[in-house]
């Protein structure tokens, strides 16, 4: 299924004001997507009513040629995988994505700046494992590529991520059936070139270890909705991912609401 499971509406403050649900759906249909997942940020400062508004808007859409899932990208607050909203998790969503490696945000417990890179990366790995083990979490947004994007560690490269960590993450993710995101923006650049280092150091091992995966754009503006999803899926399948390795949220849709 051609689906983009990481999209921010304009209710995420960092998103383009044009990101209405209508605009997202139109962009997705124009790209030939079969489904979209709305994943607005849930920070400790977020007004939770935005998730109820998304629900209302989604329910008002009527019949569409694609599925619209309600999701959330919840900050992982601590290195052991605690997410925001644990004490009162009452938002109407079909799936919960843990935003791992949001280390640039001030309320996130990240590795210390002066830590040696290997130790810091080991803690980042522990955060991924912690989020997988968190019962509230269904999927993990941008593991490792989020670290590369927002990193405090200027000399970080994907090659620094140890295979044994990926193997452990993949095994935990497989056991819990919680997919790790393959972000289109990491694997395929806007000009269509592929990141060989991300593919070789992260994607291939995760495929090999049988890790459940999903594809997301992290779109913050309409032009990015679904961008690179087809290409990324083609790469994953060409690299040997089994179709059943590619996760979608519908199986859990009835679980919460
Ligand atoms: Zn994120
Ligand atoms: Zn995001």
């Amino acid at each position: 299924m051609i689906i983009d499971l990481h999209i921010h509406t304009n209710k995420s403050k960092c998103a383009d004001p044009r990101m209405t649900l209508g605009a997202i759906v139109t962009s997705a249909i124009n790209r030939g997507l079969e489904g979209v997942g709305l994943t607005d940020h849930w920070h400790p400062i977020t007004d939770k009513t935005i998730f109820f508004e998304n629900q209302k808007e989604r329910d008002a859409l009527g019949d569409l040629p694609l599925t619209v899932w309600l999701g959330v990208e919840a900050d992982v607050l601590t290195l052991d995988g605690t997410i925001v909203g644990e004490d009162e998790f009452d938002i109407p969503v079909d799936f919960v994505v843990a935003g791992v490696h949001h280390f640039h945000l001030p309320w996130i417990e990240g590795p210390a700046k002066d830590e040696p890179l290997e130790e810091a990366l080991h803690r980042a790995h522990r955060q991924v494992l912690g989020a997988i083990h968190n019962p509230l979490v269904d999927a993990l947004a941008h593991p490792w590529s989020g670290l590369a994007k927002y990193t405090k560690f200027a000399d970080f490269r994907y090659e620094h991520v140890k295979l044994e960590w990926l193997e452990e993450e993949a095994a935990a993710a497989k056991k819990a059936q919680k997919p790790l995101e393959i972000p289109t923006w990491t694997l395929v650049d806007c000009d269509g070139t592929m990141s060989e280092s991300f593919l070789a150091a992260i994607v291939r091992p995760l495929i090999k270890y049988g890790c459940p995966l999903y594809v997301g754009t992290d779109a913050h503006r309409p032009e990015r909705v679904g961008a690179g999803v087809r290409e990324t899926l083609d790469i994953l399948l060409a690299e040997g991912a089994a179709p059943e390795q590619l996760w979608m949220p519908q199986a859990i849709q009835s679980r919460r609401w």
Side-chain angles (χ1 to χ4, degrees):
M1 229 181 149
I2 320 271
I3 51 181
D4 179 353
L5 291 176
H6 194 148
I7 297 173
H8 293 271
T9 79
N10 56 11
K11 297 183 191 74
S12 290
K13 289 200 167 52
C14 47
D16 189 314
R18 295 175 298 149
M19 284 296 265
T20 60
L21 184 51
I24 291 168
V25 166
T26 303
S27 296
I29 291 172
N30 289 341
R31 287 235 188 226
L33 297 189
E34 296 165 271
V36 289
L38 309 179
T39 52
D40 281 319
H41 286 293
W42 191 1
H43 304 306
I45 53 169
T46 300
D47 176 356
K48 281 194 282 184
T49 56
I50 66 168
F51 301 106
F52 292 88
E53 285 167 25
N54 278 345
Q55 182 191 35
K56 224 186 271 172
E57 290 176 21
R58 195 271 308 261
D59 291 351
L61 282 174
D63 275 349
L64 287 175
L66 49 67
T67 305
V68 179
W69 288 285
L70 301 174
V72 58
E73 182 179 13
D75 286 337
V76 177
L77 300 174
T78 64
L79 283 170
D80 61 3
T82 311
I83 61 168
V84 66
E86 298 251 344
D87 29 329
E88 213 184 358
F89 200 97
D90 56 356
I91 59 169
V93 288
D94 303 315
F95 69 110
V96 176
V97 172
V100 282
H101 303 164
H102 278 171
F103 293 148
H104 58 299
L105 299 172
W107 48 80
I108 306 290
E109 180 198 350
K113 248 185 186 165
D114 48 359
E115 237 174 332
L117 183 64
E118 187 176 331
E119 262 169 59
L121 295 182
H122 186 239
R123 280 158 165 283
H125 161 60
R126 273 187 36 223
Q127 192 200 45
V128 171
L129 284 181
I132 291 171
H133 289 130
N134 185 328
L136 288 172
V137 170
D138 298 306
L140 276 77
H142 49 61
W144 299 110
S145 44
L147 186 73
K149 189 174 178 189
Y150 304 116
T151 190
K152 293 169 179 169
F153 318 107
D155 43 355
F156 168 68
R157 285 183 292 113
Y158 292 120
E159 290 76 12
H160 293 139
V161 180
K162 293 186 176 183
L163 279 179
E164 67 200 63
W165 296 342
L166 292 174
E167 191 170 9
E168 199 182 353
E169 290 169 14
K174 192 175 173 183
K175 191 167 175 214
Q177 276 306 299
K178 296 184 184 181
L180 308 192
E181 180 181 338
I182 303 297
T184 60
W185 51 266
T186 316
L187 192 58
V188 193
D189 285 345
C190 292
D191 63 1
T193 54
M194 193 162 52
S195 164
E196 273 300 334
S197 69
F198 185 65
L199 180 68
I202 307 287
V203 178
R204 272 190 199 127
L206 289 177
I207 290 174
K208 188 176 120 195
Y209 300 137
C211 185
L213 304 169
Y214 75 95
V215 174
T217 58
D218 213 343
H220 283 66
R221 48 198 171 87
E223 307 78 58
R224 293 292 300 162
V225 172
V229 168
R230 253 170 222 280
E231 293 84 343
T232 301
L233 284 168
D234 285 347
I235 292 167
L236 295 178
L237 294 169
E239 290 289 335
E244 56 272 18
Q245 229 172 312
L246 303 172
W247 179 90
M248 70 175 98
Q250 67 184 17
I252 59 166
Q253 199 164 6
S254 56
R255 199 185 74 202
R256 285 172 200 280
W257 297 88

